[in-house]
Amino acid sequence: MHKLSSTSISHILYLLDSGESAASIHHQTGYGIATISRLCSEHRPNLSKPSGGRPRLLTDTSINYANRVIRTGKVNNAMQAAVMLCNQSAKKFSTQTLHRRLKESGMTAVVKKKRPKLQARHKRARLEFAERHAEWTIEDWKKVIWSDETKINHLGSDGRKYVRKEDREGLSDRLVEGTVKFGGGNLMMWGCMTWDGVGYATKIDGKMDGELYTKILGNEFIKTLEYFGYDIEDVIFQQDNDPKHTSRKAKIWFSDNDVEVLKWPAQSPDTNPIEHLWHYLKRRLETYEEPAKSVGELWTRVEKEWDGIPVEVRSARDLACV
């Protein structure tokens, strides 16, 4: 019997490790099935034998490769990975086939989380902000008044809503979120939050520009300071870098009123603790059995829920801002 070279043996073992069957290797190399089976018994005794039936289109090696290109970010999903695999091999398979094999390997599909897109300069600014305030004490953070604007839809939210469904339960009203053309309207509001609780909030009517923003500062912000007994010289006001916040009118207002403004890194809404307050408020609005009949009624509900936010969630201290 002709002795196989070490190169031939290595090639056969590689094909075995790739999930190829003895019959497939026989057709590719020309070596006998008995020879291939003997090499498998000698060098790969623990190698699982292929089950009966039609062989799988995708080998374990292909699935490992697909997992690797997804983990490294070269592709995002099964469709893109399938295109890449098809371009590298002669095998044709559906995206669903790859999706099923990826799921078997533990790679499940999830919805991408939406977060601010950060460029290198944004990351540097965030790092500098953290380093600049690394030595701040709780007493320093107590001085910060957090502020922001948010949109509240008249009918439904912009995000997904979940509901429990029984097996084989048919479609019903409770499983459907009604929609209307053009969204049904919405309202914009401004609010602020202190160490000791929520401040005043206001509904934004019309276009929010520098002039309207300074009116809000002169009313709701000042009323908040008065309500909690804060001296304007002792607080630090936080706002994002929206053009209306950094407008010439706003800068003049802060200067004339001796308000210190916290230097805030761009693209950082996720680091503002008031975002948790917006989330709580919108969850509370979803508890109403009937939708508001108008935007005006919606604002009435917003005012009620804003003023009724319990102590355990309404202050900066409870939202772990430090």
Side-chain angles (χ1 to χ4, degrees), residues 54-71:
R54 183 170 63 88
R56 286 187 160 183
L57 288 173
L58 295 172
T59 65
D60 291 341
T61 301
S62 298
I63 298 304
N64 291 336
Y65 175 76
N67 276 316
R68 185 168 64 253
V69 295
I70 291 174
R71 283 196 303 269

Side-chain angles (χ1 to χ4, degrees), residues 117-131:
K117 187 174 182 179
L118 299 178
Q119 299 178 4
R121 57 188 176 88
H122 298 138
K123 296 178 182 179
R124 285 196 301 270
R126 284 191 174 204
L127 178 59
E128 290 170 0
F129 177 85
E131 293 173 342

Side-chain angles (χ1 to χ4, degrees), residues 12-32:
I12 293 173
L13 294 178
Y14 168 77
L15 294 175
L16 287 170
D17 291 336
S18 299
E20 301 286 351
S21 65
S24 174
I25 297 173
H26 164 69
H27 290 298
Q28 293 182 50
T29 64
Y31 297 118

Side-chain angles (χ1 to χ4, degrees), residues 113-118 267 270:
K113 301 291 184 181
K114 291 185 178 181
R115 293 291 184 270
K117 187 174 182 179
L118 299 178
Q267 287 289 83
D270 54 317

Side-chain angles (χ1 to χ4, degrees), residues 39-304:
L39 288 175
C40 182
S41 299
E42 292 177 358
H43 299 278
R44 297 292 188 271
N46 297 323
L47 189 68
S48 60
K49 295 182 179 180
S51 57
R54 183 170 63 88
R56 286 187 160 183
L57 288 173
L58 295 172
T59 65
D60 291 341
T61 301
S62 298
I63 298 304
N64 291 336
Y65 175 76
N67 276 316
R68 185 168 64 253
V69 295
I70 291 174
R71 283 196 303 269
T72 56
K74 293 180 180 178
V75 299
N76 291 319
N77 51 50
M79 181 177 294
Q80 295 172 353
V83 172
M84 182 174 288
L85 284 174
C86 286
N87 290 337
Q88 294 182 356
S89 67
K91 293 182 178 179
K92 300 297 181 182
F93 54 88
S94 67
T95 301
Q96 187 60 35
T97 298
L98 179 58
H99 174 78
R100 185 172 58 253
R101 292 296 307 278
L102 287 173
K103 187 175 181 179
E104 291 174 1
S105 70
M107 184 74 75
T108 58
V110 297
V111 178
K112 274 192 171 184
K113 301 291 184 181
K114 291 185 178 181
R115 293 291 184 270
K117 187 174 182 179
L118 299 178
Q119 299 178 4
R121 57 188 176 88
H122 298 138
K123 296 178 182 179
R124 285 196 301 270
R126 284 191 174 204
L127 178 59
E128 290 170 0
F129 177 85
E131 293 173 342
R132 198 161 53 244
H133 301 90
E135 303 300 324
W136 271 32
T137 64
I138 292 179
E139 294 303 315
D140 293 320
W141 288 109
K142 283 183 179 181
K143 300 177 182 179
V144 180
I145 310 293
W146 305 89
S147 72
D148 195 19
E149 297 90 16
T150 192
K151 182 184 76 169
I152 300 178
N153 290 330
H154 178 204
L155 298 174
S157 68
D158 290 326
R160 293 184 173 187
K161 282 189 176 181
Y162 292 88
V163 63
R164 294 289 178 177
K165 178 179 179 294
E166 294 181 332
D167 290 340
R168 300 182 180 179
E169 180 181 359
L171 193 63
S172 62
D173 289 344
R174 76 176 193 86
L175 302 179
V176 176
E177 177 69 13
T179 61
V180 295
K181 288 185 177 181
F182 313 113
N186 58 67
L187 64 81
M188 291 292 297
M189 67 174 289
W190 178 95
C192 64
M193 178 182 70
T194 77
W195 180 264
D196 297 303
V198 297
Y200 280 76
T202 184
K203 178 171 169 282
I204 300 171
D205 293 317
K207 182 182 178 182
M208 180 71 150
D209 53 17
E211 183 175 355
L212 179 55
Y213 185 54
T214 55
K215 288 181 180 179
I216 291 174
L217 294 173
N219 290 311
E220 279 67 32
F221 173 56
I222 295 299
K223 287 180 181 178
T224 297
L225 300 182
E226 294 172 349
Y227 179 82
F228 289 105
Y230 297 156
D231 291 327
I232 198 167
E233 298 87 359
D234 296 332
V235 301
I236 303 172
F237 185 71
Q238 181 276 338
Q239 60 179 6
D240 60 31
N241 296 291
D242 189 278
K244 56 182 173 286
H245 300 161
T246 58
S247 65
R248 183 172 177 272
K249 288 186 177 181
K251 289 179 179 178
I252 292 174
W253 190 93
F254 288 125
S255 177
D256 291 345
N257 290 275
D258 297 321
V259 177
E260 180 182 351
V261 178
L262 185 67
K263 186 177 180 181
W264 193 250
Q267 287 289 83
S268 300
D270 54 317
T271 59
N272 188 345
I274 202 173
E275 292 294 330
H276 301 280
L277 211 58
W278 296 140
H279 176 71
Y280 176 86
L281 175 64
K282 293 174 183 179
R283 289 292 298 273
R284 286 296 306 164
L285 293 171
E286 291 176 358
T287 62
Y288 286 78
E289 293 183 2
E290 297 293 332
K293 294 182 176 64
S294 64
V295 174
E297 183 179 337
L298 175 61
W299 176 242
T300 300
R301 293 181 180 182
V302 169
E303 288 184 304
K304 177 184 176 182

